[in-house]
Amino acid sequence: MEVKRHTIKLVVNNKPDVLARIAGVFSARGFNIESISANVTMDPNVTKIRIVTMGDTSTVTKIQNQLKKLVDVLSVSHVRESKQGQREMILMQVKLTDKNRNDVMKAIDELQCKIVTRKSDYCILEATGSEEELEILVQRFDSLGIEDLSRSGVVAL
Amino acid sequence: MAEEEHIISMLVNNKPGVLSRVSGVFGRLGYNIKSLCVAETTNPEISRITLTSIANSHFTEKVAKQLNKLVDVIDVTELKPATSVEREMTLIGIRIDKEKRAEIMRAIDMFGCNVRYMSDNYCILECVGETEKTETIINYLKPLGIEEIARTGIIALPQKN
Amino acid sequence: MKIKGAEILLRALSDEGVDTIFGYPGGVVLDIFDEIYKSKFKHILVRHEQGAAHAADGYARASGKVGVCLVTSGPGATNTVTGIATAYMDSIPIVVFTGQVATPLLGSDAFQEADITGITRPCTKHNFIVRKVEDLARTVKEALYIARSGRPGPVLVDIPKDVSQAMTEYHESGPPKAPAHDPIYVPDVTALNEALRMIKQAKKPVVMVGGGVILGKASQELREFIEKVQIPVTHTLMGIGAFPGTDPLSLGMPGMHGTYYANMALTQCDLLINIGARFDDRVTGKLDEFAKNAKIIHIDIDAASINKNVIVDLPIVSDCKSALQQLNKMLLQNHFTIPEKDRKAWTQQIDEWKEYAPLSYCAGEKIKPQCVIETIYKLTKGDAIIATEVGQNQMWAAQFYKFNHPNTFLSSGGLGTMGYGFPAAIGAQIAFPDKTVVDIAGDGSIQMNIQELATAVVYNIPVKICILNNGFLGMVRQWQEIFYERRYSHTNISQIPDFVKLAEAYGAVGLRATKPEEMEAILEKGLNTPGPVIMDIHVEPEEGVYPMVRPGSPISDMDLGR
């Protein structure tokens, strides 16, 4: 069966060990996590979690069935969102030297990044986009000298 | 003791079971994880975990010491708001009632949100900012008809001098 | 009026109908034990916390109620882990209360501190740590609810010392809330209709039943169903007793040590109806060959069990009782009749298999363990509760005792825990003081929880232990014989200790048989002696369990041992 990227969305009780339980299901059953993001919702008692995993459809069904069994998991859904809806954010620290400065500025302009901080020897950039767009962005800046980066994982509506 | 938000940024081996071990530390010590992001770095063998938790000042020391003991944890840093850049992105889906349309448009303008989608009666906004800004926006828009929200967790980078 | 957390715990348990606790005291549970001292609770003091967990498990399996145990923090808690994992693998509803160091000390490596909720996260259905006394009553209620609802399982509740000492008002909590967790009990009618259509068309159908039928208390419904559809039934180790072992339609157990005819029927059937079994690898053998020409219907309350190992054609998520009740109703409404001529060839085929290779053994100069089980069956008229340890003793008990009632066979199926049987038998005997309860043991397994003999003697719990004593860790020895050219590495345990003297040292009765001609008399004497008894039966040392399917082989590929 075809191995694809799947997104699973969970609504869970906001309790100290709920994440450990969820992560435990993945590790105990050998399911993989590509990326995961979690944040509070308008209701302080519940947290929304998005997990991106690689697998065939039967594996994804198995994962969902196991997650549904956790007492603190309120709902599990498999998101069939169109790729266009997916957004991700990135923060990047890029090295600035006399040699690369112009190229960096050009890339910032072309790729529509926002400069958060600019110092003499580095800048921190913020960008949002689809996963693929950010992939391209990272490749471009990597050739210019990424010193540090942090990605959020995708979200969608 | 006063409770405040802490941001922990970690580098870990990208292996099955690592998140389970990391989150187990928080569970054991009884700390709620408020937000969490796990994603690959430029090196596919290493992932970055950024998480936030509301806790007293002992939190970081206690947690960091336990986390550092995990074999697959490469680095643990607390990022202080004064010396780091923190951002989260939020997608907000809003139902647009005719009589509120003008007010919604004004808010979009005021907060500098990007409009990702717009139809006659629904729009999706993308807002990037610190948690405080995100929450201000959400609170402002809530009475105007928020239908759904998707937030990334917080990500952050240190600002060197 | 404000009362102590410890008292709240007992009040909440009592409100849930719990009256029996298996436990062992310690520092952080002193307040709770002080309340037990003042209460009417029946507390059975074991000699090792593992025994408490197994006893609660045996109590639950025999009675169908939730078993409860109470232990102290640290080593007390960790000693229950094997018992918890045993209950988890077999979906047995128990609730384990563990003491914990006071909340300000949590995470400080305090004396007798163990992160028991962390340790047991992967082997409990759910666990709790109660950080505020106000949450205690509700947590107790939820723990019992979670343990018994849906697919049952063990739940652990960790109670810090300051929580059991703190004072608050006690209010009986409302119905437990586990919003998204309410299991599906009602089957999908369309799927059931499809099932009936498949049953009508089948020429070679087999029903396989598992522990779900017993846990779901659906044994009566199963019997009615089979009565109507006349399909042969095989039962997994956990499904023993769900369907009468003496019924002509019973095929016995399938799998690694299953009957020839059950395995052949599963291999050649064209329709397999799995009711409450989980397609364990010991049952399926090589997956590609398992029931490979059959359409498969799978009824299970746990959606995660369906399509986990075996891909099925018709999944039905429901508890066994509701599904069977509904099926029976539909059979009645549809005036279902057995398509007799269609099935004739299949019935004949099964009869031929039964004739070709019945369960059997050869008599010899020494006592044959299979014969011991048959004799116990005869002497107890098939009416005893039988607990087993793990290994050859377990398989022979499963093969040669014919179980006609649910909840009468107690055995660690999933985890395979040596040392389970005796404390489980104690738990069962507490639930049914007047029934004959026999632990069928090996000389290896019985030593793993032999200390509970003190418990049995002190409370006069009349469990009869029958040790099939072959001086070996028999099942491992059998594998060494077959797969390792008889290199018996560390499996010879030399018939030590003297179990008769050991029984006497504890104040129990010990009997011994070494020759075939004295075996029946000794068993009869032992079963009729009041109080706990050890019957030390010296059996043929190198007897094997057959039939046997090699691991990874298809189940039709059996060594019949002849």
Side-chain angles (χ1 to χ4, degrees), chain C residues 234-535:
Chain C
T234 175
H235 54 73
T236 66
L237 188 75
M238 302 314 299
I240 286 181
F243 187 74
T246 52
D247 192 292
L249 283 170
S250 174
L251 298 172
M253 189 171 71
M256 184 171 276
H257 292 297
T259 63
Y260 176 76
Y261 30 99
N263 285 343
M264 292 306 287
L266 281 173
T267 304
Q268 295 195 13
C269 65
D270 66 354
L271 175 67
L272 169 58
I273 309 167
N274 175 346
I275 309 176
R278 62 182 173 86
F279 290 119
D280 177 74
D281 58 272
R282 285 291 189 265
V283 164
T284 61
K286 189 179 180 193
L287 276 173
D288 300 344
E289 302 285 323
F290 179 77
K292 72 172 174 193
N293 299 318
K295 292 270 182 216
I296 301 178
I297 302 171
H298 190 179
I299 301 174
D300 203 303
I301 193 160
D302 180 5
S305 278
I306 294 176
N307 288 336
K308 184 180 66 178
N309 300 338
V310 172
I311 303 300
V312 304
D313 300 279
L314 181 62
I316 300 176
V317 179
S318 161
D319 81 319
C320 296
K321 196 182 186 85
S322 311
L324 285 166
Q325 272 173 347
Q326 188 69 33
L327 277 171
N328 288 338
K329 211 193 291 173
M330 291 160 85
L331 287 169
L332 207 65
Q333 282 164 357
N334 297 355
H335 306 288
F336 181 88
T337 48
I338 315 140
E340 208 168 324
K341 70 173 190 336
D342 296 0
R343 298 265 187 85
K344 207 169 168 201
W346 181 234
T347 315
Q348 267 173 5
Q349 173 67 74
I350 287 174
D351 286 344
E352 275 170 36
W353 285 328
K354 281 186 172 177
E355 208 164 303
Y356 170 70
L359 285 172
S360 63
Y361 58 92
C362 307
E365 280 176 21
K366 300 222 167 113
I367 301 172
K368 288 291 181 151
Q370 301 93 328
C371 183
V372 177
I373 308 289
E374 281 182 336
T375 310
I376 292 174
Y377 173 69
K378 193 176 84 182
L379 293 171
T380 56
K381 302 180 180 67
D383 198 29
I385 293 175
I386 303 289
T388 77
E389 304 293 340
V390 165
Q392 290 183 316
N393 61 80
Q394 178 185 35
M395 289 299 115
W396 284 319
Q399 289 177 333
F400 288 92
Y401 198 100
K402 303 288 170 236
F403 292 86
N404 284 335
H405 307 289
N407 306 94
T408 56
F409 178 74
L410 321 177
S411 194
S412 169
L415 196 67
T417 308
M418 289 170 72
Y420 165 81
F422 179 36
I426 289 176
Q429 188 84 76
I430 295 293
F432 295 100
D434 300 327
K435 284 207 98 169
T436 302
V437 180
V438 183
D439 175 35
I440 294 179
D443 48 327
S445 291
I446 192 63
Q447 293 184 62
M448 287 212 179
N449 272 317
I450 191 71
Q451 77 287 343
E452 298 310 327
L453 207 46
T455 311
V457 169
V458 167
Y459 292 96
N460 194 24
I461 301 165
V463 170
K464 313 302 177 209
I465 303 169
C466 174
I467 302 174
L468 304 173
N469 189 342
N470 54 15
F472 279 109
L473 301 174
M475 187 59 95
V476 184
R477 183 209 58 76
Q478 182 176 337
W479 282 50
Q480 289 171 335
E481 175 187 325
I482 299 170
F483 304 122
Y484 297 87
E485 297 168 327
R486 293 179 62 103
R487 290 186 298 276
Y488 292 166
S489 179
H490 298 269
T491 42
N492 186 333
I493 54 170
S494 357
Q495 290 194 314
I496 286 177
D498 178 332
F499 287 107
V500 173
K501 281 189 183 157
L502 186 76
E504 286 164 359
Y506 273 105
V509 174
L511 302 168
R512 176 173 296 130
T514 54
K515 293 195 278 292
E517 54 273 23
E518 62 188 13
M519 185 259 290
E520 181 164 349
I522 291 292
L523 289 176
E524 192 169 8
K525 187 175 172 199
L527 290 169
N528 290 318
T529 303
V533 178
I534 286 186
M535 295 167 277

Side-chain angles (χ1 to χ4, degrees), chain A residues 17-30 66 69-70, chain B residues 17 20-21 23-24, chain C residues 80-91 115-128 151-156 415:
Chain A
D17 53 1
V18 65
L19 186 65
R21 293 179 200 277
I22 291 163
V25 165
F26 280 81
S27 60
R29 309 234 169 225
Q66 294 295 350
K69 288 166 70 174
L70 296 175
Chain B
S20 169
R21 292 175 204 276
S23 49
Chain C
T80 64
V81 172
T82 301
I84 293 170
T86 303
Y88 183 70
M89 289 292 274
D90 291 344
S91 310
D115 173 19
I116 196 65
T117 47
I119 290 170
T120 59
R121 204 173 284 134
C123 64
T124 49
K125 187 173 169 190
H126 191 59
N127 60 26
F128 297 91
R151 179 178 181 173
V155 176
L156 181 138
L415 196 67

